[in-house]
Amino acid sequence: MYSAGILGVGCYVPEQVLTNRDLEEMVDTNDEWIVSRSGIRERRIAAPEEATSDLALQAARRALGDARLAPEELDLIIVGTDTPDMLFPATACLVQRGLGAYRAACFDLEAACSSVIYGLSIARQFIATGTYRHVLVIGSEILSRITDWSDRSTCVLFGDGAGALVVGRVEEGFGVLSTVLGSDGRAADILRVPAGGSRLPASHETVERRLHTLQMNGPEVYKFAVRVVERACDQALDQARIPKEDVELFVPHQANIRIIEGAARRFGFPMERVAVNVHRYGNMSMATIPVALQEAREEGRVHRGDHLLLVAFGAGMTWGAAVVRWSKED
Ligand code: UT7
């Protein structure tokens, strides 16, 4: 079995910034409520001509550059997204075309905000068995296209962005030490886009009733998240046989600062050891972890040999956690 690790990271966020003040003009909300309940101050919004594969492609090119890898060296491209360019073909195939990575197999995966941890876990299996050498895992999302901009309980929380990881062989003792995945379909209704699939195909009525936009029971998602984040982190640390004191950087899904701070307190991580950027980007779904990781690297907070604890939760409900021993000479 080979050890699999992260060879490169890349991210891309659209230029347009939407602040809490801007939202005050759109719905009955205020900066104080948004900041105190979620920690979010601003988020990015994709340009009208940008689609999810465009964001993904930018992040992918940067990740390949970081890994010093040519597109034709990729064996597999996995895109996690809730907002694919279209129902089919897979957004991963569109990214393949953009990159010219024609040796790769491609598919999309749908584990909502947990998709990058799911993708990392799948990539790790293919690398460990020797089936593939290089897997590109991308989380890319344009949530602004499925946001109900008249619903103040959701429209203040989300943003657009993409993050990519190149996964490949690393030295023994480094790389992904554990991954934990989970889901609970009993909670499938607390966060969803009801229409546009086979249950409720698009019709004038579904459009009028805004059933193509994201609907969320925020407090239920919150309670669920607190529970699964703690459990998944405990399990991932146990499997990796890493005591929590040895975690140099905690990289949680960026949905709400209160969930992040609660988890950090529970594990005894001081905030200097936690990657946080939810104030700048809001919840970019599966893009949050690679973007937060890349920004932590750029701030000089990630070093070879460090233990990183990644954790995510999302619609489904799904969750995932991973312990990674950083192998790059940052
Ligand atoms: O990737 C996974 C995605 N989702 C999440 O992780 C979300 C998890 N949940 C949360 O982050 C929090 O539940 C929220 C931030 C969504 C909401 O915070 P909360 O403390 O759970 O507030 P709440 O939903 O219980 O709402 C409290 C009050 C309500 O008014 P009343 O009924 O108490 O009078 C809401 O109507 O705040 C009101 N409210 C707002 N007020 C101003 C809801 N949204 C807003 C708003 N501005 N944008």
Side-chain angles (χ1 to χ4, degrees), residues 82-83 110 112-113 141-160 188-196 206 209-218 221 253 255 283-286 314-317:
D82 290 328
T83 51
E110 217 295 38
C113 306
E141 197 80 294
I142 304 193
L143 287 171
S144 61
R145 302 273 157 79
I146 56 162
T147 296
D148 178 351
W149 290 103
S150 66
D151 175 9
R152 69 174 182 174
S153 72
T154 54
C155 74
V156 302
L157 300 173
F158 299 100
D160 303 336
D189 295 339
I190 64 176
L191 178 51
R192 61 183 185 156
V193 175
T206 58
R209 293 174 57 204
R210 300 183 197 280
L211 296 177
H212 297 274
T213 58
L214 183 153
Q215 300 184 351
M216 177 171 76
N217 180 334
V221 173
H253 173 45
N283 181 349
M284 299 182 290
S285 191
M286 62 289 289
M317 294 292 287

Side-chain angles (χ1 to χ4, degrees), residues 7-68:
L7 306 182
V9 189
C11 57
Y12 172 79
V13 291
E15 260 170 47
Q16 192 199 330
V17 176
L18 184 73
T19 66
N20 291 351
R21 296 276 175 228
D22 297 329
L23 282 160
E24 286 177 5
E25 310 288 312
M26 298 161 65
V27 283
D28 179 16
T29 191
N30 56 77
D31 178 59
E32 196 278 328
W33 190 96
I34 303 171
V35 173
S36 64
R37 301 288 176 129
S38 71
I40 301 164
R41 293 181 183 277
E42 57 186 45
R43 68 287 292 144
R44 300 300 178 99
I45 304 292
E49 67 279 8
E50 280 180 318
T52 294
S53 67
D54 300 320
L55 274 55
L57 192 55
Q58 301 278 0
R61 288 199 175 113
R62 291 172 188 178
L64 286 168
D66 187 33
R68 297 206 178 89

Side-chain angles (χ1 to χ4, degrees), residues 217-233:
N217 180 334
E220 283 303 313
V221 173
Y222 192 101
K223 278 187 263 172
F224 197 99
V226 169
R227 212 170 49 240
V228 298
V229 162
E230 291 191 6
R231 198 172 63 205
C233 287

Side-chain angles (χ1 to χ4, degrees), residues 298-317:
E298 285 164 7
E299 289 159 11
R301 299 169 71 195
V302 184
H303 312 98
R304 183 172 156 85
D306 282 358
H307 293 101
L308 276 45
L309 174 62
L310 320 179
V311 67
F313 57 89
M317 294 292 287

